[in-house]
Amino acid sequence: MRLCIAICTRERPKLLRACLASVCAQAVPDGIAAEIVVVENHDRDVSRPITLDVAAQTGWTIHYVLEPELGIPFARDRCGTFAAAEGFDRVLYIDDDEIAHPGWLATMIEATRQYPAEVHYGRVIYTYPPETPTWMVPKQVNKRPTGTVLAKAEGHNTLVDTKVFRDADAGGFGLHFDGSMRFTGGSDTDFFTRVHDAGGRIVWIAEATVEELVPVNRTRLAWQLNRTFRVAGNISRLHEKRAGKPKAALRSFLKGIGRIAGGLILQLPMSAVFLVSPERGRRQAFKAAKQVASGLGSLAYLTGYQQQPYRKVDGG
């Protein structure tokens, strides 16, 4: 198997170097020819010196490609089309703010033998800064066994058969990331949902783990609630793409009202809980606030409002 490990980046040199180091430290199984491509979402060679330095130190073949069209969908798509055009069998996505755990690569490769599929989706473990309030840190428990077949995936720890990107006349699916979602987020979920709809098989691989280092700014309450608000709106737009606007609007209205009501009801016993356990009370208040934010995000979709948080680099 020829494997291309793909990293999208933009002006995050320290994170990229750490990510590359973790990838280059992986043991490559016998019979696997693995190379790396770094796709810089920029019109300048910002990270080329880093890739050259890491390649020289480790002996890995690292391709460096510029994708000047701004937006993560364009960068991720360039990874896939590059891998397909260069004759790689699969492309393994890892984000530049992630660290691959030991055995990650071998686990993903073994998964292709045990669980034949077009997409193998691994687990992300989030590491929060020490100053993060404990009530904000979610419980990270794997809720499904390896081999579970899914209807969607995300793009931050995902092994993809390159036939997904190849044209239909070449035996592929002819699918691409949606550039209209360049700054909104959600383009990866949309892409892999369409892979599933096209007949592709998506399988969960719990043991293939990477670690994401959460930036301090993402531990602020306002950021957390805003993200919940935004994700709810993105989900409504994905439903619109699949089922049409009338059905998506009805679903968003019902979901929005239900979540707001549920969040408010959840807040009612909060004072009593806080007296018994302040920590538990804060966690419950946070959960209720996120539920209300999600409901508001669903209702905001009905107005056409859409945030574009990825216009600027985060965590660089």
Side-chain angles (χ1 to χ4, degrees), residues 13-27:
K14 291 182 180 179
L15 293 174
L16 175 62
R17 185 179 287 276
C19 178
L20 280 169
S22 73
V23 170
C24 293
Q26 298 291 311

Side-chain angles (χ1 to χ4, degrees), residues 150-152 191-202 242:
L150 306 174
K152 61 183 178 181
F191 175 77
F192 289 111
T193 299
R194 288 187 283 118
V195 171
H196 171 267
D197 291 347
R201 183 178 172 88
I202 303 174
R242 300 184 76 191

Side-chain angles (χ1 to χ4, degrees), residues 103-176:
W104 166 73
L105 178 58
T107 300
M108 277 294 200
I109 296 301
E110 182 59 28
T112 65
R113 303 186 179 110
Q114 292 189 23
Y115 308 99
E118 281 71 33
V119 178
H120 297 82
Y121 180 28
R123 186 179 172 203
V124 178
I125 297 172
Y126 297 93
T127 298
Y128 287 79
E131 61 266 36
T132 307
T134 54
W135 49 264
M136 184 178 286
V137 179
K139 296 178 181 178
Q140 301 189 65
V141 179
N142 178 44
K143 297 179 180 179
R144 52 198 172 211
T146 290
T148 300
V149 178
L150 306 174
K152 61 183 178 181
E154 296 178 3
H156 48 193
N157 181 16
T158 317
L159 178 63
V160 185
D161 192 318
T162 53
K163 75 177 182 182
V164 168
F165 297 95
R166 292 197 294 269
D167 292 337
D169 57 7
F173 289 9
L175 296 178
H176 297 279

Side-chain angles (χ1 to χ4, degrees), residues 215-237:
V216 172
N217 69 298
R218 295 187 181 182
T219 65
R220 299 189 181 104
L221 180 60
W223 191 96
Q224 290 283 326
L225 296 181
N226 191 58
R227 181 184 185 278
T228 302
F229 175 92
R230 172 175 56 82
V231 168
N234 285 344
I235 291 173
S236 294
R237 289 176 191 88

Side-chain angles (χ1 to χ4, degrees), residues 56-308:
Q57 291 181 9
T58 64
W60 274 74
T61 298
I62 304 178
H63 307 272
Y64 180 79
V65 178
L66 284 181
E67 175 47 65
E69 193 70 48
L70 291 185
I72 190 65
F74 296 104
R76 282 182 172 144
D77 208 63
R78 175 59 71 90
C79 291
T81 55
F82 171 87
E86 294 294 319
F88 289 95
D89 300 296
R90 293 181 184 268
V91 54
L92 176 53
Y93 288 92
I94 179 172
D95 284 356
D96 65 350
D97 58 354
E98 294 175 341
I99 301 296
H101 283 186
W104 166 73
L105 178 58
T107 300
M108 277 294 200
I109 296 301
E110 182 59 28
T112 65
R113 303 186 179 110
Q114 292 189 23
Y115 308 99
E118 281 71 33
V119 178
H120 297 82
Y121 180 28
R123 186 179 172 203
V124 178
I125 297 172
Y126 297 93
T127 298
Y128 287 79
E131 61 266 36
T132 307
T134 54
W135 49 264
M136 184 178 286
V137 179
K139 296 178 181 178
Q140 301 189 65
V141 179
N142 178 44
K143 297 179 180 179
R144 52 198 172 211
T146 290
T148 300
V149 178
L150 306 174
K152 61 183 178 181
E154 296 178 3
H156 48 193
N157 181 16
T158 317
L159 178 63
V160 185
D161 192 318
T162 53
K163 75 177 182 182
V164 168
F165 297 95
R166 292 197 294 269
D167 292 337
D169 57 7
F173 289 9
L175 296 178
H176 297 279
F177 288 87
D178 186 349
S180 70
M181 306 175 75
R182 65 168 74 200
F183 299 132
T184 64
S187 62
D188 52 347
T189 303
D190 166 67
F191 175 77
F192 289 111
T193 299
R194 288 187 283 118
V195 171
H196 171 267
D197 291 347
R201 183 178 172 88
I202 303 174
V203 176
W204 174 250
I205 309 298
E207 296 81 12
T209 56
V210 299
E211 179 181 352
E212 180 175 327
L213 310 176
V214 179
V216 172
N217 69 298
R218 295 187 181 182
T219 65
R220 299 189 181 104
L221 180 60
W223 191 96
Q224 290 283 326
L225 296 181
N226 191 58
R227 181 184 185 278
T228 302
F229 175 92
R230 172 175 56 82
V231 168
N234 285 344
I235 291 173
S236 294
R237 289 176 191 88
L238 296 183
H239 279 282
E240 179 182 332
K241 291 182 71 172
R242 300 184 76 191
K245 192 155 191 173
K247 290 184 178 179
L250 177 61
R251 176 194 174 277
S252 296
F253 176 77
L254 296 176
K255 287 280 188 180
I257 296 299
R259 287 170 182 157
I260 292 172
L264 294 176
I265 291 172
L266 188 64
Q267 285 183 333
L268 292 178
M270 189 174 60
S271 297
V273 172
F274 188 85
L275 290 174
V276 176
S277 172
E279 177 71 15
R280 185 179 171 189
R282 292 187 183 96
R283 185 176 291 274
Q284 184 165 321
F286 180 51
K287 181 179 178 181
K290 288 182 71 175
Q291 198 161 336
V292 171
S294 180
L296 292 173
S298 294
L299 295 181
Y301 157 78
L302 300 174
T303 71
Y305 177 73
Q306 188 173 19
Q307 293 185 339
Q308 297 189 338

